[in-house]
Amino acid sequence: MMACQDWPEPVIRVQALAESGLTTIPERFIKPKSQRPTVYSHAYSHTTPEDINIPVIDMKHLYGMEEGRREEELHRVAAACQEWGFFQVVNHGVSHELMKSAREVWREFFHQPIEVKEEYANTPLTYEGYGSRLGVKKGAVLDWSDYFFLHYMPCSLRDQNKWPNLPTSLRNVISEYGEEVVKLGGRVLEILSENLGLKKDFLLNAFGGEKHLGACLRVNFYPKCPQPDLTMGLSSHSDPGGMTILLPDENVSGLQVRRGDDWITVKPTPNAFIINIGDQIQVLSNAVYKSIEHRVIVNSDKDRVSLAFFYNPRSDIPIEPAKELVTEDRPALYPSKTFDEYRLYIRTKGPSGKAQVESLISKCDSS
């Protein structure tokens, strides 16, 4: 099955809509009531929404000399992966100046004239370039966001000619940023492997090894919205890949993570990355670690920029539960499937909650 060659209808640039001065959003962006931003339900009766946040992991303790402190931090990572599917990392080794520069160059890109951005307009065949929708269903309700998607790894797919050349510093900044975030991803995969009781290089090797893993960047631009209570910046979904390393907007919150029946708005820690487990690690860990639904709300007063770096398996390697994590009491929950086969689902249907990874369990049960 091939991905579609083109979009099913003319693409609507959300930033252009927002800057036109409209006071109501077009019907194409109005979500069904069940999918709109919700009021916190106070399921956690002893807390308020402001009290709840995803765990923050200090990576200096994972590489320090205090063995007791290291064990404590490893346990905190394991608990975050099992209970939240999300955590933030500080003291991660990536320069704060580089993080700031990466956000700034993309802000500058999205404020270039529309004709400059349209030179990089994408198609659903690879999604690479400047885009405004996910999924190719005609008549679908759309999200309130634009984005730029590029390949970083493997090197054979990295083509800087497809990256914006304005602002002029963008290509160099993103090349350096990608290199540093790939290194961070490798360190995090080692920690996750160790916590699963596997060899430290297990997950990296399952992804294809250092030279063959997949890594790509989606820069999200969420324009301010006159009716943020009716739409979403990005609909509810779990990430189809291995792991996501997100550089959030430093000024405006927007990411929400599902926690039971509630949606918790993540409060980014200064100079932290937000890391979340993707469907492929859920499969490899035989659901010891969970990919969790998340979504993005929009703001009536401010634009937002975030950089989502997807750390993925090589596209043609079969992904299945690690044999060490399969027992009589806990049989393999998922069939073998390549990442290429898997991601075709979201590329055609768009964000769909946890429907895709959960559908694999029923297929495995019936086989």
Side-chain angles (χ1 to χ4, degrees), residues 204-224:
L204 182 61
N205 288 339
F207 279 27
E210 264 181 46
K211 293 186 178 176
H212 300 293
L213 62 87
C216 46
L217 175 69
R218 190 179 73 218
V219 185
N220 306 297
F221 185 81
Y222 302 104
K224 59 186 177 183

Side-chain angles (χ1 to χ4, degrees), residues 1 23 28 33 35 64 120 149 151 232 264 331 355 361:
M1 181 180 177
T23 56
R28 290 295 308 277
K33 285 187 177 180
Q35 296 174 23
Y120 301 96
F149 182 90
H151 289 292
M232 299 299 302
I264 307 300
I361 295 180

Side-chain angles (χ1 to χ4, degrees), residues 14-66:
V14 180
Q15 185 181 3
L17 266 184
E19 292 174 354
S20 71
L22 82 175
T23 56
T24 58
I25 63 174
E27 192 173 345
R28 290 295 308 277
F29 294 91
I30 298 177
K31 301 291 182 182
K33 285 187 177 180
S34 63
Q35 296 174 23
R36 294 177 192 173
T38 46
V39 176
Y40 185 82
S41 72
H42 296 283
Y44 306 92
S45 56
H46 59 290
T47 59
T48 66
E50 289 72 27
D51 294 329
I52 302 172
N53 200 15
I54 60 174
V56 178
I57 304 300
D58 191 336
M59 292 189 71
K60 76 180 178 190
H61 298 314
L62 295 168
Y63 297 101
M65 302 303 289
E66 296 180 58

Side-chain angles (χ1 to χ4, degrees), residues 16 50 58 87 139 141 214 261:
E50 289 72 27
D58 191 336
F87 54 94
V141 179
D261 293 329

Side-chain angles (χ1 to χ4, degrees), residues 18 22 40 58 104 106 114 124 154-155 161 186 207 224 227 246 250 257 264 289 357 364-365:
L22 82 175
Y40 185 82
D58 191 336
E104 286 178 352
W106 283 111
I114 187 67
C155 292
N161 291 321
F207 279 27
K224 59 186 177 183
Q227 294 178 297
L246 179 76
E250 72 273 44
V257 174
I264 307 300
Y289 293 166
V357 73
C364 198
D365 287 344

Side-chain angles (χ1 to χ4, degrees), residues 6-202:
D6 215 341
W7 304 112
E9 51 214 346
V11 174
I12 302 170
R13 299 303 184 196
V14 180
Q15 185 181 3
L17 266 184
E19 292 174 354
S20 71
L22 82 175
T23 56
T24 58
I25 63 174
E27 192 173 345
R28 290 295 308 277
F29 294 91
I30 298 177
K31 301 291 182 182
K33 285 187 177 180
S34 63
Q35 296 174 23
R36 294 177 192 173
T38 46
V39 176
Y40 185 82
S41 72
H42 296 283
Y44 306 92
S45 56
H46 59 290
T47 59
T48 66
E50 289 72 27
D51 294 329
I52 302 172
N53 200 15
I54 60 174
V56 178
I57 304 300
D58 191 336
M59 292 189 71
K60 76 180 178 190
H61 298 314
L62 295 168
Y63 297 101
M65 302 303 289
E66 296 180 58
E67 190 56 35
R69 195 64 194 265
R70 182 175 190 273
E71 287 303 313
E72 181 184 328
E73 210 69 9
L74 283 171
H75 284 309
R76 295 186 69 240
V77 174
C81 293
Q82 292 168 31
E83 298 167 18
W84 281 93
F86 274 79
F87 54 94
Q88 302 187 63
V89 291
V90 296
N91 293 314
H92 41 64
V94 180
S95 154
H96 297 170
E97 281 302 310
L98 182 58
M99 296 163 73
K100 182 180 176 183
S101 297
R103 271 190 297 245
E104 286 178 352
V105 293
W106 283 111
R107 269 205 189 91
E108 284 186 51
F109 168 76
F110 280 104
H111 285 99
Q112 295 294 321
I114 187 67
E115 57 270 18
V116 171
K117 292 180 285 190
E118 288 293 352
E119 290 177 22
Y120 301 96
N122 72 351
T123 74
L125 190 61
T126 67
Y127 276 83
E128 195 168 11
Y130 173 55
S132 299
R133 66 179 291 169
L134 295 168
V136 292
K137 182 181 176 185
K138 192 170 184 179
V141 179
L142 303 174
D143 289 334
W144 193 261
S145 57
D146 297 326
Y147 63 86
F148 199 100
F149 182 90
L150 60 85
H151 289 292
Y152 191 82
M153 295 284 288
C155 292
S156 58
L157 289 181
R158 189 189 312 169
D159 184 356
Q160 288 203 13
N161 291 321
K162 295 180 179 178
W163 301 6
N165 61 5
L166 288 175
T168 54
S169 59
L170 186 146
R171 292 179 178 177
N172 285 338
V173 168
I174 297 310
S175 182
E176 183 183 353
Y177 177 82
E179 184 178 341
E180 292 303 311
V181 176
V182 165
K183 289 178 190 172
L184 171 61
R187 294 194 292 272
V188 173
L189 285 187
E190 285 188 352
I191 293 161
L192 301 188
S193 297
E194 184 178 350
N195 268 341
L196 286 167
L198 304 168
K199 292 181 179 178
K200 285 176 73 171
D201 59 359
F202 176 86

Side-chain angles (χ1 to χ4, degrees), residues 27 203 266 282 307:
E27 192 173 345
L203 286 173
V266 174
Q282 177 167 326
L307 282 68

